[in-house]
Amino acid sequence: MPSRAFDKGPGRKPSWSPPYTLRVHLAAITLVALLPALAVGAAGAWLAMGSHQRSYEDRLRDSAKGVALLIEREVITHISALAALAASPALDNGPDGDLAPFYAHASRAAEAVGSPVGLIGPDLRIWIDTERPFGEPLPSTAAVDASRAVFGIARPTVSDLVIGSISRRPILTVNVPVLRNGRVVAAVGTRIWPEHLSRLLAAPDLSGGAIATITDGRNVITARSQEADRFVGMQVPGWYSEAIAGRDSGFASGRTLGGEDVKLAFQRIAGIPGWTLMVLEPTSAFNASWQPPVLTLLGGGTAVSALALAFAMWLGQRVLGPITILRKQAEAVAAGAGALALAPFSPMRHRAKVAEFEALRETIGRAGATMEASERRHRALAEAGASALWRAEANGSILESRGWEVLTGQRPEELRGSGWLKALHPDDIAPTVEAWRQAMMARRPVGVDYRVRTCDGVWLWYRARGVPILDERGEITEWFGVVANINDRKLGEAALAESEARLRAVVETAPDAIVVMDAQNIVQAFNRGAERVFGYTAAEVIGRNLAMLMPAHLAARHDEGAKRYLCTGEPHVIGVGVELEGLRKDGTVVPLEASIGEWCDTSGSRFFTGVLRDITERRAAEEKQVLLAREVDHRAKNALAVVQSLLRLTPVSEPKAFIAAVEARVAALARAHSLLADGGWAGTDLRLLAEKELAAYAGGTKQSEAVLLDGPRFPLASTAVQPLAMVLHELATNAAKYGALSIPGGKVEVQWRRDDGARMLRIRWIESGGPLVVAPSRRGFGFRLIEATIRNQLGGSVDWLWKPSGLTCNVVLPLARAAAANGAPVGSSGVEQKHAAGMLPEAQTAEV
């Protein structure tokens, strides 16, 4: 039948139109979904990949936390057993007392925990070990550091992996101090075998071929869920030590000791300083897990879209049958026919058997029966007087109560006076008495909640309310009151409070900004993440318009869109993944990714919750990636141009010599190119460049006598790296052919100094110990290349000194051309990285 439509906005007349049928709605929905099917499929595949990555990392992190908790419980079990032993009276005199009773006690405890138990004296000597007969002389403990720490800090300790002094096997020791009169007189310890921990690690079901590993404070593997015999006792790779440094948990990737690329999650084990639990999976397993679902999603989406429209039309026709029957049954119930009107309808041809409709009919029938049974129960409770009535004297002493004896089982004579308090929970007696006292002093009604032990032995919440009866002088003559069951309400309030606490904890600890506003754009909630993003405190924002967090041009548009949405229902920015801009307290604009949803409270008031993520770093990374791509393109073209020049200018008198010269010069360019790539195209260190270019010429002699490098750390500009590489290569090639490096015993020393006063970089090439040097009558291509590079390309000068003892070449470069702007190039690996980071002395002389 026709129905009145909602008003479309102020000033518009209401629209009267007949409702559309279900078939029309299904067809319209299918048409809307069919057109963007391919785009949605592609987006879904992309989101699925991202979701899979996050799910994968979360799974590894959860596995690491769970297994870490398992190991923590295992160690706590040992500590608890040792703590019980440490309280033994037999240890009152420490190792000097009668230890035979303690040995028997310790032997039983060792059987319980499955590990030998020992007693360690202040001299770190083992006095008792349950694996050895009582009284047998024993050595000192192997876990010296952990045992000494027990006597120092008077708290339980867990050692790193050591070789046991008795078992001569790898062990981990757990020690608990024996405290007497505030002094540690001895320590009780036990051993944990690595293989025991490895079995614990193998017990959880870690999917995907995951492997759990424990490392101690020295980053040594102490247990492993797989191949423990092979890896226990080995040092973890350096990249893992760097990844966990200063962090309690996290995610990392790298290569294992077995040479396999893996992804892993790590978790510090609480209560065991230095111990870390990691769960790792091969990278290949991760790649294999996401590819089939994504391909299936893309293919299946296309096929399903083609069938959706036809199926919607067919389904609409079949669904209308049961909807009509359910409507008629609902009208009969509304007319007063009761639950009998909901009898099951018989099957019909051309009708879809919709499980939800059947479940709805059955639920309505059960609801009617439940309501009737509930009414009968309430009538019975009212007739039986389940809510206790009571009467008390002016001082609060109970005189009588109807229903209390049925509720608690107390006889009338037992509850009189204050005897009724015995039925209350011990924790509720004092608050109840205090509430009574304050009510009597103020001569006002009393209301108090407490737990009552019923006849069935169950604690239930009840609320007692009492009203004082006053005489003409305002004095209390007696009290009348009632006790009502509020157990369901209390449980509901507790569940609601717990739910609110969980939600509050999630909101306050969320890294993203979470802002709640009402329909008038007034901020109602502002979490800590929002304080970090916008720079305001919650007190500065709550109660004010959301526009204060937006640039002016966006604030006006937002207000208009919000008003339009409230009037017409037309969405504005509600959704997931909307990018917009925010305004910080300091006036700066921050790019945000927003997810905004709408909800209503119990009164029907509209609210909006926005989750805002700061994407400044993401955008900067994207811009940096574009710039890096342009830089790589520029460097590649520049390198090709240099190679082309070398091919044109290198003399071709002898083909073999021509090939060797070109190959060597191109190799020098390639080495410089690699250094630039390792440094992120920001430049490199002069020492690193010299080491790379001169390393090949020291292969035939001892490094201590061939080439010496002497100079401080100097960050080269990216534009100076390849030119200087060519200069060093040409000098080294000349020395290897004709100079100091052409005979055994010859030396080359490269010195460089930074002259800040003259704003110059001074480089000196000194040869000695080679053949007798005579100034050349003509300058070859290499020398011309050096001079052209220094003067024309780098704007410097070069000076040649042809001494009989060897060639000396002085190069002077302007710092504006040679020095990097930021002064901090990134090395490639190993020693190079350490030197670039300032970990080696700047004035150290390196030998190539």
Side-chain angles (χ1 to χ4, degrees):
M1 65 183 286
S3 63
R4 185 175 180 181
F6 289 107
D7 290 343
K8 299 300 182 180
R12 295 188 181 182
K13 296 182 179 181
S15 173
W16 295 83
S17 61
Y20 295 104
T21 64
L22 177 62
R23 240 177 299 176
V24 174
H25 284 289
L26 289 176
I29 292 173
T30 305
L31 287 173
V32 172
L34 186 61
L35 295 177
L38 294 178
V40 171
W46 177 260
L47 293 175
M49 291 174 60
S51 175
H52 182 82
Q53 171 73 17
R54 292 189 295 272
S55 175
Y56 176 82
E57 294 182 3
D58 291 342
R59 177 173 60 80
L60 282 187
R61 286 192 179 95
D62 292 342
S63 298
K65 291 179 182 178
V67 179
L69 184 60
L70 176 65
I71 299 302
E72 179 186 354
R73 286 201 299 266
E74 179 66 18
V75 174
I76 290 175
T77 299
H78 285 74
I79 291 176
S80 299
L82 294 178
L85 286 175
S88 173
L91 297 179
D92 290 346
N93 295 323
D96 298 330
D98 183 9
L99 301 179
F102 176 76
Y103 180 83
H105 190 185
S107 298
R108 292 191 296 272
E111 293 179 0
V113 299
S115 300
V117 175
L119 179 66
I120 303 171
D123 56 357
L124 304 187
R125 187 167 68 86
I126 302 174
W127 289 84
I128 286 178
D129 189 278
T130 57
E131 279 193 333
R132 299 297 181 90
F134 179 72
E136 178 179 316
L138 299 172
S140 297
T141 178
V144 176
D145 294 338
S147 301
R148 185 177 291 115
V150 170
F151 290 93
I153 65 176
R155 290 197 303 270
T157 62
V158 181
S159 74
D160 294 332
L161 188 69
V162 298
I163 301 299
S165 58
I166 296 177
S167 64
R168 310 311 300 171
R169 294 167 52 194
I171 61 170
L172 298 130
T173 67
V174 180
N175 298 319
V176 173
V178 179
L179 291 169
R180 296 295 186 271
N181 298 323
R183 186 172 61 89
V184 182
V185 300
V188 181
T190 185
R191 298 189 284 277
I192 300 179
W193 311 109
E195 51 267 27
H196 174 66
L197 294 180
S198 297
R199 287 193 296 272
L200 289 178
L201 296 179
D205 184 15
L206 300 177
S207 60
I211 300 173
T213 303
I214 301 175
T215 60
D216 62 13
R218 295 178 289 113
N219 288 332
V220 173
I221 296 176
T222 59
R224 204 171 188 266
S225 61
Q226 296 181 19
E227 299 183 282
D229 295 340
R230 177 184 174 189
F231 290 98
V232 169
M234 296 180 66
Q235 193 81 21
V236 297
W239 63 265
Y240 175 72
S241 302
E242 295 175 2
I244 68 173
R247 301 169 63 191
D248 292 333
S249 62
F251 193 83
S253 59
R255 179 164 292 183
T256 65
L257 294 173
E260 184 177 21
D261 291 329
V262 297
K263 293 180 179 291
L264 61 86
F266 62 89
Q267 176 71 43
R268 297 284 186 180
I269 301 179
I272 311 177
W275 280 33
T276 306
L277 187 285
M278 59 174 155
V279 175
L280 55 91
E281 284 189 7
T283 304
S284 58
F286 165 71
N287 294 333
S289 64
W290 66 263
Q291 292 174 351
V294 171
L295 295 177
T296 302
L297 178 62
L298 293 175
T302 303
V304 170
S305 298
L307 298 175
L309 184 60
F311 178 75
M313 301 300 295
W314 175 81
L315 181 62
Q317 181 179 359
R318 295 179 61 84
V319 167
L320 289 175
I323 289 180
T324 302
I325 296 176
L326 287 175
R327 180 176 58 81
K328 292 180 179 179
Q329 290 181 335
E331 290 173 353
V333 172
L340 296 177
L342 299 176
F345 49 80
S346 59
M348 299 171 55
R349 295 185 61 188
H350 307 297
R351 178 182 62 81
K353 297 180 179 180
V354 182
E356 287 79 3
F357 295 158
E358 294 287 339
L360 177 62
R361 182 187 59 78
E362 295 175 0
T363 302
I364 292 175
R366 289 196 302 269
T370 302
M371 291 176 61
E372 174 128 3
S374 176
E375 290 177 359
R376 289 197 301 269
R377 285 196 299 270
H378 281 82
R379 287 193 297 270
L381 289 174
E383 294 172 359
S387 295
L389 303 174
W390 55 269
R391 184 169 66 91
E393 297 179 353
N395 61 2
S397 296
I398 298 297
L399 294 173
E400 61 178 341
S401 175
R402 296 182 181 180
W404 185 263
E405 65 278 6
V406 177
L407 177 64
T408 65
Q410 283 186 320
R411 296 188 299 275
E413 60 273 15
E414 293 177 335
L415 65 88
R416 291 193 182 101
S418 60
W420 63 280
L421 292 172
K422 297 179 181 179
L424 270 59
H425 193 283
D427 294 342
D428 299 334
I429 293 177
T432 300
V433 173
E434 177 62 20
W436 262 103
R437 186 186 66 81
Q438 294 181 5
M440 286 187 290
M441 291 178 60
R443 296 181 179 86
R444 57 174 172 76
V446 63
V448 61
D449 299 344
Y450 48 65
R451 285 161 288 183
V452 176
R453 187 179 183 88
T454 65
C455 296
D456 300 331
V458 179
W459 292 102
L460 298 178
W461 280 99
Y462 280 81
R463 179 168 182 79
R465 288 191 57 83
V467 179
I469 307 300
L470 306 178
D471 59 14
E472 63 278 2
R473 295 175 301 173
E475 299 294 334
I476 299 176
T477 59
E478 60 181 343
W479 293 80
F480 282 95
V482 63
V483 177
N485 188 323
I486 60 169
N487 192 68
D488 291 342
R489 191 190 76 188
K490 278 287 187 178
L491 295 180
E493 291 174 352
L496 179 60
E498 180 181 355
S499 176
E500 291 179 349
R502 285 197 302 268
L503 180 59
R504 189 179 302 110
V506 170
V507 170
E508 289 301 321
T509 57
D512 295 333
I514 300 178
V515 182
V516 179
M517 69 217 77
D518 61 14
Q520 287 71 41
N521 282 338
I522 302 302
V523 178
Q524 305 296 321
F526 199 74
N527 75 333
R528 294 178 183 174
E531 292 179 343
R532 289 191 295 270
V533 170
F534 291 100
Y536 289 99
T537 64
E540 293 175 313
V541 179
I542 293 177
R544 300 180 61 184
N545 196 290
L546 184 69
M548 67 180 295
L549 304 179
M550 301 179 183
H553 66 284
L554 292 181
R557 290 170 51 193
H558 177 77
D559 284 340
E560 293 176 1
K563 293 177 181 178
R564 183 171 62 253
Y565 176 68
L566 292 175
C567 295
T568 67
E570 178 184 351
H572 178 47
V573 293
I574 292 181
V576 178
V578 179
E579 292 194 6
L580 44 83
E581 293 180 340
L583 185 66
R584 290 194 175 101
K585 183 178 181 180
D586 59 7
T588 59
V589 176
V590 55
L592 302 170
E593 183 179 73
S595 298
I596 303 175
E598 178 186 356
W599 54 279
C600 297
D601 62 8
T602 55
S603 64
S605 298
R606 279 177 162 179
F607 293 91
F608 303 88
T609 298
V611 180
L612 310 172
R613 174 167 297 174
D614 185 350
I615 59 174
T616 302
E617 294 182 359
R618 189 179 77 188
R619 286 193 176 178
E622 292 172 351
E623 294 175 358
K624 184 177 180 180
Q625 185 177 10
V626 172
L627 290 176
L628 181 60
R630 293 176 180 173
E631 180 67 15
V632 170
D633 178 67
H634 170 72
R635 293 295 172 187
K637 291 179 180 178
N638 186 56
L640 290 175
V642 173
V643 171
Q644 186 178 18
S645 298
L646 291 176
L647 291 173
R648 291 177 177 176
L649 299 176
T650 302
V652 199
S653 57
E654 294 183 9
K656 292 185 178 180
F658 171 76
I659 293 173
V662 170
E663 287 181 346
R665 287 164 179 156
V666 171
L669 284 176
R671 290 190 293 270
H673 189 86
S674 297
L675 286 176
L676 283 172
D678 291 341
W681 302 99
T684 189
D685 189 75
L686 179 55
R687 180 183 294 275
L688 295 180
L689 179 64
E691 288 176 351
K692 288 288 186 181
E693 294 300 333
L694 300 179
Y697 298 97
T701 61
K702 294 184 179 179
Q703 289 187 345
S704 61
E705 301 175 356
V707 179
L708 299 178
L709 304 180
D710 182 14
R713 175 179 175 274
F714 186 85
L716 287 172
S718 60
T719 56
V721 173
Q722 288 183 341
L724 275 181
M726 293 301 301
V727 170
L728 292 174
H729 169 74
E730 294 299 333
L731 288 172
T733 301
N734 180 73
K737 289 182 178 180
Y738 314 109
L741 299 181
S742 63
I743 63 173
K747 294 183 179 180
V748 169
E749 183 175 1
V750 182
Q751 302 174 352
W752 62 90
R753 294 292 182 270
R754 179 183 181 129
D755 187 349
D756 288 321
R759 301 297 297 166
M760 292 291 180
L761 170 65
R762 303 185 186 277
I763 304 174
R764 174 171 290 185
W765 175 281
I766 305 172
E767 298 184 17
S768 61
L772 186 64
V773 175
V774 178
S777 59
R778 67 181 183 87
R779 302 293 176 89
F781 171 74
F783 292 100
R784 295 197 303 273
L785 176 61
I786 292 173
E787 291 186 348
T789 300
I790 296 299
R791 291 190 173 93
N792 300 335
Q793 191 168 355
L794 297 179
S797 63
V798 58
D799 182 27
W800 307 92
L801 298 178
W802 303 96
K803 300 178 181 179
S805 59
L807 169 64
T808 298
C809 179
N810 294 314
V811 176
V812 180
L813 300 175
L815 289 180
R817 294 280 191 93
N822 57 9
V826 180
S828 57
S829 61
V831 175
E832 297 172 353
Q833 287 181 345
K834 293 181 179 179
H835 179 76
M839 298 176 66
L840 297 179
E842 290 189 348
Q844 177 180 351
T845 299
E847 299 173 358
V848 181

